[in-house]
Each structure stands twice: as structure tokens, then as C-alpha cells.
Amino acid sequence: MVMFLACPVTSMDVLVQLQINALNGTDVRIPCAFTSCYKLDPKQFAMNWTYQETSNSTEEMFMTYKNRITPLKPSRFGERAIFSGNLDKNDLSITILDVQLTDDGIYHCYVRNPPDRIQGHGTIQFNVLTELPPPRDSTIAVAIGASVGGILALLILSMVVVKCIRRHKNQELISDEQKMEEEGKVDGEGGTEEATKNLCLLPEDV
């Protein structure tokens, strides 16, 4: 009675991986475990694994437990579906050997553990791929970022150099123009002095 009061009616939780990507031709473990307020009693405990091709298809049972693990060896799996869990740890996982493209589908893990009044249920979407996507490598992103940063730095440096060269040329042009103006002033002043001297000469001096 104390155990019943301490444990709610909906005390069972089934823990699964919602989606698994499997490479064709490999051995893949499909995990399923459960938590319960009650210790597993082998005489009352029950488990079923079923396969469903699509969400609209009929479920096909391929493994069960009633006093012992019993693979049903359906034509789809043959002997490729094996129990790989541990009942003492509430682990109900299975392994599919030599995964085939036809293994793609939905897998259901059903659990009954009296005196829990509910049936636990976990659903796994199992995707069979001919080639796994490459893992995301952060070093590639870092390398790309460094390259982009380097290119931007070179671009900024080039713009600064070009700007400095233009400024230097402008300063040289300004200096040349100032020199030309100064030389023109000197020439003009010299011509004026010469003309003044000629005007100042007396006729007898000529």
C-alpha cells in the first residue's frame, strides 16, 4: 500500500532515440530503456518490438518477451534482429545486423511492467542511408574565416598603400607647381628691373 501511494499511476517512462540514421550494410543498435517505480518481475514483465514500414502500415511484431526473449524471425529480418539489452538494467535495446534498405521504417518498443497500470511505448524513426553525411568540421569554418579575414586585411592594406601613393603624388605636383610659380615670379621681377634700368639711362649714356 505504501509503494502504491508513493508511485503514481503513470509512473513508467520509455526512453528511446527518436531518429536514427543507419548506414546500409552495418550493424546498428536501436536503444530502448524504461524507468519505473517497480522492480522488473520476470514472471509478469512483457515486451514487444514491432516494425512499421510507414505510419499508415500495419505493425509487424518481430521480437517479444514473455518469461524469455523470443525473436520471431519474420521474413523481413530473418536472424538479423537480436536482443542486445539487459533486463536487470531495464535496457530493452535491440541490434539490427547487416542493415538493409528494406529495414527503413518505424520501430516501436512496447513495455509492460506490473503493477504499473499503463503500457509504455517508444517510437523510433529508422532511416537507412547508402552514404552518411560528412560530419561538420569546425576547423574548416575556422580556416575559411581566417582566409576571409586575411583577404580583407590585404584589401585594406592595399587601399591604404594606394591612398598614400596618390597623396604623395599630389604633394609632388603641388610642390612642382609652387616651384614653377616661384620661378615665374623671379623671372618677372628680373625683367621689370631690366626695363627700369633701360628707362633710367640718359640719352648721353646711350
Side-chain angles (χ1 to χ4, degrees):
M1 183 65 176
V2 174
M3 181 181 291
F4 178 78
L5 292 175
C7 196
V9 175
T10 57
S11 60
M12 180 185 292
D13 287 317
V14 177
L15 310 175
V16 297
Q17 189 172 335
L18 297 180
Q19 180 170 302
I20 296 176
N21 292 330
L23 185 62
N24 185 36
T26 61
D27 300 341
V28 179
R29 192 170 187 264
I30 304 179
C32 177
F34 73 95
T35 61
S36 174
C37 291
Y38 306 106
K39 185 177 180 180
L40 187 150
D41 183 352
K43 295 181 180 180
Q44 300 187 68
F45 176 78
M47 174 205 74
N48 291 323
W49 273 96
T50 67
Y51 167 82
Q52 192 176 18
E53 188 171 355
T54 68
S55 58
N56 296 323
S57 304
T58 302
E59 293 185 33
E60 176 185 359
M61 187 182 300
F62 62 89
M63 186 174 296
T64 186
Y65 178 93
K66 195 65 176 174
N67 298 322
R68 64 187 180 90
I69 296 291
T70 305
L72 301 181
K73 300 180 181 179
S75 58
R76 180 180 298 277
F77 298 108
E79 298 182 352
R80 293 187 300 109
I82 62 173
F83 183 78
S84 55
N86 186 339
L87 292 180
D88 293 334
K89 297 181 179 180
N90 294 354
D91 183 358
L92 311 177
S93 302
I94 61 170
T95 296
I96 305 297
L97 304 175
D98 188 20
V99 169
Q100 305 296 310
L101 293 176
T102 53
D103 298 337
D104 190 288
I106 304 169
Y107 290 73
H108 300 272
C109 177
Y110 293 100
V111 186
R112 278 194 178 276
N113 186 44
D116 268 326
R117 297 184 180 183
I118 65 167
Q119 175 177 260
H121 177 209
T123 302
I124 305 103
Q125 177 64 51
F126 192 75
N127 304 316
V128 181
L129 309 176
T130 56
E131 183 178 354
L132 289 177
R136 297 180 62 183
D137 191 348
S138 59
T139 57
I140 296 176
V142 171
I144 293 174
S147 301
V148 172
I151 292 172
L152 289 175
L154 290 174
L155 182 60
I156 293 172
L157 180 62
S158 301
M159 293 173 66
V160 171
V161 171
V162 170
K163 188 173 183 179
C164 290
I165 293 174
R166 288 180 178 176
R167 181 179 296 177
H168 184 68
K169 287 184 178 180
N170 290 336
Q171 290 177 349
E172 289 182 349
L173 291 173
I174 292 172
S175 298
D176 292 340
E177 290 178 356
Q178 290 176 347
K179 288 180 182 180
M180 291 176 64
E181 289 179 359
E182 291 176 357
E183 290 176 355
K185 288 180 181 179
V186 171
D187 292 342
E189 291 175 356
T192 303
E193 291 177 357
E194 185 67 28
T196 303
K197 289 180 182 180
N198 291 335
L199 291 172
C200 293
L201 289 175
L202 295 173
E204 56 269 20
D205 293 333
V206 177

